[in-house]
Amino acid sequence: MIDSAALAALDGRVLGPEHKSFPPAAWGKTVREYLSAGPTLDWLSTPLLTVDRAALQSNVALMASWARSAGIQLAPHGKTTMAPQLWALQFDAGAWGITLATPWQVQLARSFGVGRILLANPMVDPVALAWLAGELRADPSFDFFSWADSVRTAELMDRALGSSQLERPVNVIVEIGGPGGRSGARSSETALAVAMAIHRSPRLALAGIGGYEGALSHDRESAGLSAVRRFVDRIGRLHQRIAADGLYGTDAIVTAGGSAFHDIVVDQLAGLAGERNGLRTTVLVRPGAYAIHDDGLYAGISPLAPARAEHPLRSAMHGWARTLSRPEPELALLDAGKRDLPFDVGLPVPQRIMGANPGAFGADLARASVTALNTQHAFLRLPGSTADAVPVGTVVRLGLSDPCTAFDKWRLIPVVDDANAANPRIVELLHTFF
């Protein structure tokens, strides 16, 4: 599902000063040449973001196994990483397709040969629709799905596609939403009207129903979980109503689920998968964060976190920052800030000191905390007995929250063999496209 030649070409890219934290000694070398020298983490400058290979591979395999056991399909949200190398890993593990959020992201994915894409947003940009029509004409095997949450959306799509000489209709999924959420029809009546508008259009095909429940709760407290269950149940009931009205063709998609509540999605929707009365229904879950996971938001909310699963996901990303200054007894300034590390749903958490035994500084750093980030600095507070733990020049490994806002700060991310090693070995370089 991804062009192997396009992926292979990434190894021929030349390193340069545009690749943050790669030193001048690496400039002018191809990725392939650089990796052949057996680099380790201390070859690079700080700040850094790394991916742990073992955790990454374990997470991808774990989620693929979970989906198979549940009888559903995965359409991972590619916007999280915008890294085609990781998409390929997910496809190799059996992913149905890739979910994306913008037409430009779809175009980028197509440049890497991705053959099945779900755009989890309405597409009403006439320039993007003209491109899509051409792409569908040029490649009959390309499967594309977008969303619509209003009759107006369907009308705009139909009008824009009217002059495009379409040879097959564009698949459109009715999107529902909830109060306080993002896009999505707020009532069942609106959703059914959207379904009818799509069904009437000769240029659109009604392909299913879906939504995003993650906006309805940011924790697993009972009130939040109840709101998510009601929303997911609404998706299922609307699908059954549309099917009973005969508005689908021979296939339909029912889709929900990000990285936080896919257990509820399976509990309430997996039973819809399969063929009934001549209609084949595929249930899709669209988690974006699972491959990388984290030590913050998703570690606290995912159903596959250690506290909730026998075989849990684990964070595959870490930040690395060097102590630049100790201007006060209990304050260290690190060289990583908002331009390097995520901060929107939790600040970095100090975990260990590079070069030390993984557990050697655990007790000391457990009392330390990052209390603020500037654009290029982190404020590491070291209370009491921890004050001497990180002298100037010390490199600290940081646990991070939210891969969505970690990867977008880096064009090239080192993959290490073991982030717990004293000096991790770099085994791959991930290219991102933001």
Side-chain angles (χ1 to χ4, degrees):
M1 293 289 280
I2 285 193
D3 185 346
S4 58
L7 287 180
L10 295 176
D11 286 340
R13 287 193 162 198
V14 177
L15 302 179
E18 68 272 22
H19 297 116
K20 184 164 55 174
S21 297
F22 281 79
W27 301 350
K29 295 180 180 178
T30 66
V31 169
R32 187 179 301 107
E33 290 168 341
Y34 182 77
L35 292 175
S36 70
T40 50
L41 203 64
D42 62 351
W43 288 28
L44 303 180
S45 298
T46 51
L48 276 173
L49 177 74
T50 64
V51 168
D52 184 293
R53 180 175 62 180
L56 170 67
Q57 292 175 341
S58 173
N59 291 346
V60 171
L62 177 66
M63 185 63 82
S65 175
W66 176 86
R68 286 192 299 270
S69 298
I72 56 94
Q73 297 282 350
L74 289 178
H77 212 319
K79 73 166 184 178
T80 300
T81 64
M82 288 305 292
Q85 292 153 284
L86 294 187
W87 301 348
L89 187 66
Q90 291 167 315
F91 274 125
D92 288 345
W96 172 93
I98 291 292
T99 301
L100 293 165
T102 71
W104 170 79
Q105 291 174 359
V106 174
Q107 292 162 359
L108 185 280
R110 287 298 290 161
S111 76
F112 280 88
V114 177
R116 183 181 283 150
I117 297 171
L118 191 159
L119 175 65
N121 250 330
M123 181 183 270
V124 292
D125 181 341
V127 175
L129 286 166
W131 169 85
L132 175 64
E135 199 73 5
L136 291 170
R137 283 196 307 271
D139 185 357
S141 68
F142 176 36
D143 281 341
F144 175 81
F145 303 80
S146 71
W147 285 7
D149 66 353
S150 70
V151 172
R152 172 71 170 166
T153 301
E155 291 172 345
L156 287 173
M157 293 184 71
D158 182 82
R159 185 183 310 163
L161 294 167
S163 59
S164 298
Q165 299 179 337
L166 275 177
E167 296 181 2
R168 54 188 169 120
V170 174
N171 295 314
V172 182
I173 293 171
V174 177
E175 181 195 5
I176 67 168
R182 298 197 304 218
S183 56
R186 294 304 198 253
S187 72
S188 298
E189 292 74 17
T190 299
L192 291 170
V194 176
M196 286 298 302
I198 297 167
H199 179 70
R200 288 193 301 265
S201 169
R203 301 174 186 90
L204 306 177
L206 181 61
I209 188 162
Y212 173 60
E213 76 287 348
L216 303 180
S217 178
H218 299 288
D219 57 48
R220 294 188 76 89
E221 299 298 324
S222 59
L225 293 179
S226 294
V228 169
R229 289 191 183 96
R230 288 193 299 270
F231 179 78
V232 174
D233 180 64
R234 186 172 153 227
I235 291 176
R237 286 187 284 108
L238 280 168
H239 165 70
Q240 291 172 315
R241 169 74 181 276
I242 292 170
D245 289 346
L247 300 183
Y248 292 131
T250 58
D251 294 271
I253 287 171
V254 178
T255 177
S259 300
F261 303 110
H262 41 272
D263 54 334
I264 294 176
V265 175
V266 165
D267 288 345
Q268 297 190 223
L269 297 182
L272 299 175
E275 185 167 350
R276 292 177 184 82
N277 302 319
L279 177 67
R280 289 186 299 271
T281 300
T282 299
V283 176
L284 291 181
V285 178
R286 311 182 314 275
Y290 75 91
I292 300 300
H293 200 51
D294 70 4
D295 283 310
L297 172 67
Y298 293 106
I301 201 170
S302 170
L304 294 176
R308 303 182 187 97
E310 181 180 358
H311 302 289
L313 299 171
R314 63 186 205 263
S315 181
M317 67 174 180
H318 300 92
W320 305 80
R322 195 179 309 268
T323 308
L324 296 179
S325 174
R326 294 297 313 272
E328 300 170 12
E330 296 185 354
L331 173 64
L333 275 298
L334 309 182
D335 64 354
K338 292 180 179 179
R339 290 179 174 168
D340 311 300
L341 303 175
F343 59 91
D344 59 326
V345 287
L347 292 172
V349 177
Q351 293 181 328
R352 55 173 291 250
I353 292 173
M354 184 176 175
N357 180 292
F361 289 86
D364 286 341
L365 291 185
R367 297 187 60 205
S369 63
V370 173
T371 57
L373 292 184
N374 291 161
T375 52
Q376 308 288 184
H377 293 90
F379 289 72
L380 178 63
R381 298 290 174 178
L382 298 158
S385 62
T386 66
D388 297 327
V390 286
V392 169
T394 302
V395 175
V396 179
R397 193 186 82 183
L398 301 165
L400 306 175
S401 179
D402 191 9
C404 285
T405 52
F407 271 54
D408 63 352
K409 296 168 176 58
W410 298 85
R411 293 186 181 187
L412 200 61
I413 302 173
V415 178
V416 298
D417 59 344
D418 181 5
N420 286 322
N423 188 18
R425 185 168 58 94
I426 299 169
V427 294
E428 188 179 1
L429 300 180
L430 290 179
H431 301 258
T432 69
F433 297 84
F434 286 95

